[in-house]
Amino acid sequence: MDEVTFAVLGTGGIGRRALEVSQHKDALTPVAACDRHGVAIDFDGLDVDELLEATEGNIDNEVATDGGTAASEGGVKQHGEELGVVASEQARPSEDSIQDIIDHGDEIDAVLLALPNYEHDFIPRTAERFIEGDYSGVMIDVLKRSRVIGMLDDRREAFEDAGITFICGAGATPGLLTGAAALAAQSFVEVTDVDIHWGVGLKSGYEDNRGTVREDIAHLPEYDIETARDLSEEEIEEIIDDHDGVIEFEDMEHADDVLLERAGICDAEDVTVGGVLDVYNDEKPTTTTVRVTGRTFDGETATNTFQLGDETSMEANVNGPALGYLKAGVRRNRAGEYGVFGPAELMPGF
Amino acid sequence: MDEVTFAVLGTGGIGRRALEVSQHKDALTPVAACDRHGVAIDFDGLDVDELLEATEGNIDNEVATDGGTAASEGGVKQHGEELGVVASEQARPSEDSIQDIIDHGDEIDAVLLALPNYEHDFIPRTAERFIEGDYSGVMIDVLKRSRVIGMLDDRREAFEDAGITFICGAGATPGLLTGAAALAAQSFVEVTDVDIHWGVGLKSGYEDNRGTVREDIAHLPEYDIETARDLSEEEIEEIIDDHDGVIEFEDMEHADDVLLERAGICDAEDVTVGGVLDVYNDEKPTTTTVRVTGRTFDGETATNTFQLGDETSMEANVNGPALGYLKAGVRRNRAGEYGVFGPAELMPGF
């Protein structure tokens, strides 16, 4: 496949790491990155090292209000006068950095939405802005929220008309793990059970991943996206302390189920997702494992298993797959396949 | 994706099971099947149950000479007057059944070459016949021979000019397992080691899989494709007896290495393939395992692992993936991507 240009919306932990990981492959050229404060665009390819170095410690993890003008309260550290991405010499301040990217959309093959913490409809509404701005290309998110997928599906026809291929949930979970489930499902003519159990140890990565922790807390039974969004950093840390740093999730609401169902792998109700997040240790509290149980054409029942090495960080498991699905999405887009796709739908399968 | 029509060349174990497994999914319609004795063609879809039932015990496992007219010597059991596929009421005898399929190529999206035992250049030469017959579509094999891939690559331009998408090695090994390796590689920016170790127990499936056993024997250090092809059934059984039914392969010549290298996953020399075949037991002598070791962007070394459930038969692990890759190939073909592809190249990846 020819060179792929991509933009990153959001330069928090996921956006920064996506830029960094893309440096390891030739065929991916990051050409734009933005946060709410500004935008960096260079169609010869961003100087990722400069951008990451200049903005180190400038990570914008705060929660946006609708207008995107919430005051910084600790999430973004200042670097001189400058907030977030603007600390890079490649960036300039912008009052509407997303529009700046849309305005250059004809030179951007794919847009990675690395915005984990906004309202449910933030990503669908952002996608609508790209439609209105005549963008045609790939949009990709790394969310794990079933409801967002439904909202994107509601816009399927608009994506098709615009020529947009929207890939949703393309990080580690559900992305990599539902992809593994789709692969493992190929031994079977009927999949009866998919069990996804993840472990994340986050001590040294906590600062870079506050947004993801907040997202996870939203999946605890006592919280939802809205209430989690309203928590202060102090409240988040209190919740973590209350759990001695280890938060367990059982049968959580997670988009894996709907993504596997839409890929034709199994019924959503046959998918179980749980996990353990340890914020105080880097070591994973449990080995991330996908178990796919099914019936073979010759009548046997068996379980295929995929396990991630405990030493792989969440960041490594988010960003490699996200960029892989991004490239797979570009291939689909160039072939004229538009609409909404989950990662498992991009896998070979029958 | 719309309906996919496909033909099966060869109705030995692999061809028969591919037909059977395709029945479990709606979007795949088998429209043609042949062996050297005859051909069955029906564009409304073959009656697979009738075809399999009528030809049960008629499996043609013998080794073809170049002209394809070798006398039957036990490999094909007769059913009345009729040999092989001709025992089905849907089939008719043919002196050149492959040409019959080529002549109907414009209605066939994909051709599965289920012919494990012929000469090295049999599949490349068969592909050339399809090129000469103006076929444009997908051709797919389930071989594990590196040399054949090189011979197909030599014909890449001819495939591109013809509009043929050739998928090679798309069974269990290398197909499913290199696909798993490609998936597992996504955590890493550099893959340092891929270790593929398979186990097959074949007691009840031996009759249906003589061809595959012969193919495996060709990978023992003392044999090659030519010498294995010349072995009589009795000699094959002697070799099996000499090994007490359990044949171990270490660091075998296997196309996994070249297929992973061409997909950009790792260097061929970093791939190790071995396995254990137990012809006397159905139970797998070892659990089929793929281990992918690499370095993450953040400097850790780890191993991701994929394991097949011991109860999954070789047939289940060949035919599901083969049909999955077949469909993925049709998608590529419809998008105008022609040439030669390994299974790992059909996976999302960056």
Side-chain angles (χ1 to χ4, degrees):
Chain A
M1 193 159 60
D2 298 337
E3 197 70 18
V4 171
T5 60
F6 75 100
V8 173
L9 305 194
T11 53
I14 289 169
R16 294 170 65 83
R17 295 311 152 227
L19 291 170
E20 183 176 349
V21 172
S22 75
Q23 297 300 94
H24 292 275
K25 298 281 171 173
D26 289 334
L28 278 172
T29 305
V31 295
C34 73
D35 60 17
R36 91 186 67 167
H37 307 290
V39 62
I41 299 180
D42 185 342
F43 288 102
D44 293 329
L46 293 173
D47 179 346
V48 170
D49 289 340
E50 188 278 335
L51 190 140
L52 294 182
E53 203 172 313
T55 59
E56 189 70 49
N58 273 21
I59 295 158
D60 184 352
N61 274 309
E62 70 194 301
V63 178
T65 59
D66 198 54
T69 53
S72 167
E73 38 160 340
V76 176
K77 291 176 199 154
Q78 296 206 16
H79 181 94
E81 293 293 293
E82 298 165 321
L83 288 168
V85 74
V86 181
S88 159
E89 63 187 25
Q90 301 168 79
R92 56 181 172 74
S94 170
E95 300 221 332
D96 192 347
S97 56
I98 289 178
Q99 191 60 47
D100 288 337
I101 302 234
I102 294 171
D103 291 343
H104 291 86
D106 54 347
E107 294 177 80
I108 300 171
D109 294 317
V111 176
L112 175 63
L113 299 139
L115 308 159
N117 266 327
Y118 293 168
E119 309 81 2
H120 262 324
D121 64 348
F122 181 78
I123 281 184
R125 281 191 296 110
T126 301
E128 275 178 7
R129 292 186 63 190
F130 276 80
I131 292 170
E132 281 158 25
D134 289 329
Y135 180 68
S136 65
V138 170
M139 304 191 73
I140 178 165
D141 74 39
V142 294
L143 294 185
K144 48 186 108 172
R145 300 182 202 164
S146 311
R147 272 174 290 176
V148 178
I149 295 165
M151 295 169 76
L152 290 168
D153 264 338
D154 293 342
R155 291 157 174 81
R156 184 177 53 79
E157 274 189 43
F159 289 132
E160 287 172 357
D161 292 343
I164 289 174
T165 306
F166 200 110
I167 315 292
C168 49
T173 59
L176 175 59
L177 301 188
T178 52
L183 181 102
Q186 292 189 94
S187 302
F188 308 117
V189 293
E190 187 192 3
V191 170
T192 53
D193 187 54
V194 175
D195 182 64
I196 295 177
H197 197 73
W198 51 263
V200 170
L202 209 55
K203 187 182 177 193
S204 62
Y206 179 59
E207 285 301 316
D208 270 5
N209 289 288
R210 287 163 181 258
T212 305
V213 173
R214 186 187 293 269
E215 178 84 20
D216 280 335
I217 284 172
H219 289 87
L220 283 173
E222 314 90 276
Y223 298 92
D224 59 25
I225 302 294
E226 285 72 25
T227 53
R229 185 157 51 84
D230 292 338
L231 295 169
S232 68
E233 290 291 333
E234 290 69 31
E235 286 170 317
I236 295 266
E237 280 174 31
E238 251 172 59
I239 294 167
I240 294 169
D241 279 344
D242 285 349
H243 288 79
D244 293 325
V246 180
I247 308 179
E248 291 195 36
F249 303 87
E250 277 178 42
D251 208 2
M252 62 196 291
E253 188 224 318
H254 212 283
D256 304 67
D257 55 355
V258 292
L259 290 174
L260 287 170
E261 180 164 304
R262 61 183 293 146
I265 306 297
C266 60
D267 292 337
E269 65 193 19
D270 297 329
V271 180
T272 312
V273 181
V276 187
L277 173 69
D278 186 341
V279 183
Y280 291 166
N281 290 290
D282 278 333
E283 211 165 292
K284 287 188 189 178
T286 184
T287 298
T288 299
T289 304
V290 179
R291 288 184 187 83
V292 177
T293 302
R295 190 175 56 79
T296 64
F297 81 100
D298 44 6
E300 297 287 341
T301 295
T303 300
N304 291 344
T305 307
F306 178 71
Q307 287 196 313
L308 293 176
D310 285 344
E311 300 79 9
T312 61
S313 60
M314 188 191 66
E315 295 88 335
N317 292 319
V318 167
N319 288 298
L323 293 173
Y325 288 125
L326 183 151
K327 279 185 67 176
V330 170
R331 197 183 285 278
R332 293 290 178 105
N333 188 262
R334 288 179 181 171
E337 290 190 62
Y338 312 129
V340 180
F341 300 84
E345 291 169 83
L346 304 183
M347 298 288 294
F350 75 99
Chain B
M1 194 158 60
D2 299 338
E3 197 70 19
V4 171
T5 59
F6 74 101
V8 173
L9 305 194
T11 54
I14 290 169
R16 294 170 66 83
R17 295 310 152 228
L19 291 170
E20 184 176 349
V21 173
S22 76
Q23 298 299 95
H24 291 275
K25 298 280 170 174
D26 289 334
L28 278 172
T29 306
V31 295
C34 73
D35 61 16
R36 91 188 64 168
H37 307 290
V39 62
I41 299 180
D42 186 342
F43 288 103
D44 292 330
L46 293 173
D47 179 346
V48 171
D49 290 340
E50 188 278 336
L51 190 140
L52 293 182
E53 204 172 312
T55 60
E56 189 71 49
N58 274 22
I59 296 158
D60 184 351
N61 274 310
E62 71 193 300
V63 179
T65 58
D66 199 53
T69 54
S72 167
E73 39 161 338
V76 177
K77 292 176 198 155
Q78 296 206 15
H79 181 96
E81 292 293 294
E82 297 164 323
L83 288 167
V85 74
V86 181
S88 159
E89 62 186 26
Q90 301 169 81
R92 56 181 171 75
S94 170
E95 302 223 328
D96 191 348
S97 57
I98 289 178
Q99 190 61 47
D100 288 337
I101 302 236
I102 294 171
D103 291 342
H104 291 86
D106 55 345
E107 294 177 79
I108 300 171
D109 295 316
V111 177
L112 174 63
L113 299 139
L115 307 160
N117 266 327
Y118 293 167
E119 309 81 0
H120 261 324
D121 64 348
F122 181 78
I123 281 184
R125 283 191 296 109
T126 302
E128 275 178 8
R129 293 186 63 190
F130 277 80
I131 292 171
E132 283 157 24
D134 289 329
Y135 180 68
S136 65
V138 171
M139 304 191 73
I140 178 165
D141 74 39
V142 295
L143 294 185
K144 48 185 108 173
R145 299 181 203 166
S146 311
R147 272 174 290 175
V148 179
I149 295 165
M151 295 170 76
L152 291 167
D153 264 338
D154 294 340
R155 291 156 175 82
R156 184 177 53 79
E157 274 189 42
F159 289 132
E160 286 173 356
D161 292 344
I164 289 175
T165 306
F166 201 111
I167 315 292
C168 50
T173 58
L176 175 59
L177 301 188
T178 52
L183 181 102
Q186 292 189 94
S187 301
F188 307 118
V189 292
E190 187 193 3
V191 170
T192 52
D193 186 55
V194 175
D195 182 65
I196 295 177
H197 198 73
W198 52 262
V200 169
L202 209 54
K203 187 181 178 194
S204 61
Y206 178 60
E207 285 301 316
D208 270 5
N209 289 288
R210 287 163 182 258
T212 306
V213 174
R214 186 187 293 269
E215 178 85 19
D216 281 335
I217 284 172
H219 290 87
L220 283 173
E222 314 90 277
Y223 297 92
D224 60 25
I225 301 294
E226 285 72 24
T227 54
R229 185 157 50 85
D230 292 338
L231 295 169
S232 67
E233 290 291 332
E234 291 69 29
E235 287 170 317
I236 295 265
E237 280 174 31
E238 252 173 57
I239 293 167
I240 295 168
D241 279 345
D242 286 348
H243 288 80
D244 293 324
V246 179
I247 308 178
E248 292 195 36
F249 303 87
E250 277 177 43
D251 208 3
M252 61 197 291
E253 189 224 319
H254 212 283
D256 305 67
D257 54 356
V258 292
L259 290 174
L260 287 170
E261 179 164 303
R262 61 184 294 148
I265 306 297
C266 61
D267 292 337
E269 65 192 20
D270 298 328
V271 180
T272 313
V273 181
V276 187
L277 172 68
D278 186 341
V279 183
Y280 291 168
N281 289 291
D282 278 333
E283 210 165 292
K284 287 188 191 179
T286 183
T287 298
T288 299
T289 304
V290 178
R291 289 183 185 83
V292 177
T293 302
R295 190 174 54 78
T296 64
F297 81 100
D298 44 6
E300 296 287 341
T301 295
T303 300
N304 291 343
T305 308
F306 178 71
Q307 287 196 313
L308 293 175
D310 285 344
E311 300 79 9
T312 61
S313 61
M314 188 192 66
E315 294 89 335
N317 293 318
V318 166
N319 288 298
L323 293 173
Y325 288 126
L326 184 152
K327 280 185 67 177
V330 170
R331 196 183 288 278
R332 293 290 178 105
N333 188 263
R334 289 179 181 171
E337 291 190 62
Y338 311 128
V340 180
F341 300 83
E345 291 169 83
L346 303 183
M347 298 287 295
F350 74 99

